[in-house]
């Protein structure tokens, strides 16, 4: 039977959405955007300050909607790198689900810091999952994004 793929992501400034869409196209999956009930401030300094506070406090923001992950075998989980970890809405999503028997594959976009602690932090919150090696890309990945994703997917699906 063909495996069912879900691509979930949070984005603040659309880079992670772009990569999520590329992954989703290549794995023929279902796309789901994690949206917090309270949007983060648009201004860079404001969001950086709020994110720092929330991450230090282990805050889990309320989310606008949810998706039943039961039917999916592989769940790609995308986040911007925020202070070297995942954005709090992504942590809230992971914590709210049971990943028993599923495969979780992290990916992130960043401003130069790469995956940082994201791989480990996703592993900690993905209860019961087999977590595969994630993918990171600078910003929106520019015009190389699709080929970089394709190369990574080939590796990870081996
Ligand atoms: C609150 C905040 C914290 C960030 N912290 C980091 C960081 O620690 N390391 C890094 O490389 N980039 C950091 N960035 C840059 C983002 O990871 C990068 O711009 C990312 O591509 C944004 O993704 P998005 O457009 O999907 O929101 C930070 C950005 C924000 C808004």
């Amino acid at each position: 039977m063909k495996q069912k793929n879900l691509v979930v992501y949070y984005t603040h400034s659309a880079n992670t959405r772009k990569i999520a869409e590329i992954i989703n196209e290549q794995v023929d999956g279902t796309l789901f955007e994690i949206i917090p009930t309270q949007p983060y401030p648009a201004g860079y300094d404001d969001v950086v300050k709020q994110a720092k506070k929330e991450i230090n406090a282990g805050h889990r923001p309320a989310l606008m909607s949810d998706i039943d992950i039961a039917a999916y075998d592989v769940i790609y989980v995308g986040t911007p790198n925020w202070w070297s970890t995942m954005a709090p809405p992504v942590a809230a999503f992971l914590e709210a689900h049971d990943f028993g028997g599923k495969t979780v594959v992290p990916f992130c976009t960043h401003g130069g810091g790469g995956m940082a602690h994201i791989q480990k932090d996703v592993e900690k919150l993905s209860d019961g999952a087999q977590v595969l090696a994630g993918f990171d890309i600078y910003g929106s990945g520019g015009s190389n994004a699709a080929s970089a994703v394709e190369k990574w997917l080939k590796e990870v699906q081996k």
Side-chain angles (χ1 to χ4, degrees), residues 46-124:
D46 291 338
V47 66
V48 163
K49 220 190 283 171
Q50 184 174 329
K52 185 176 192 180
K53 229 193 261 170
E54 290 190 2
I55 288 165
N56 286 341
H59 178 65
R60 303 289 186 248
L63 305 179
M64 200 93 103
S65 61
D66 197 13
I67 183 165
D68 183 0
I69 67 168
Y72 297 95
D73 307 296
V74 183
I75 301 157
Y76 294 85
V77 177
T79 182
N81 174 330
W82 275 13
W83 291 100
S84 298
T85 187
M86 72 192 91
V90 179
F93 180 88
L94 292 180
E95 245 180 34
H97 291 93
D98 176 2
F99 292 92
K102 303 200 181 293
T103 300
V104 165
V105 197
F107 63 97
C108 85
T109 70
H110 61 85
M115 279 298 258
H117 307 305
I118 291 168
Q119 179 81 29
K120 271 217 168 87
D121 292 344
V122 167
E123 283 169 11
K124 275 187 215 152

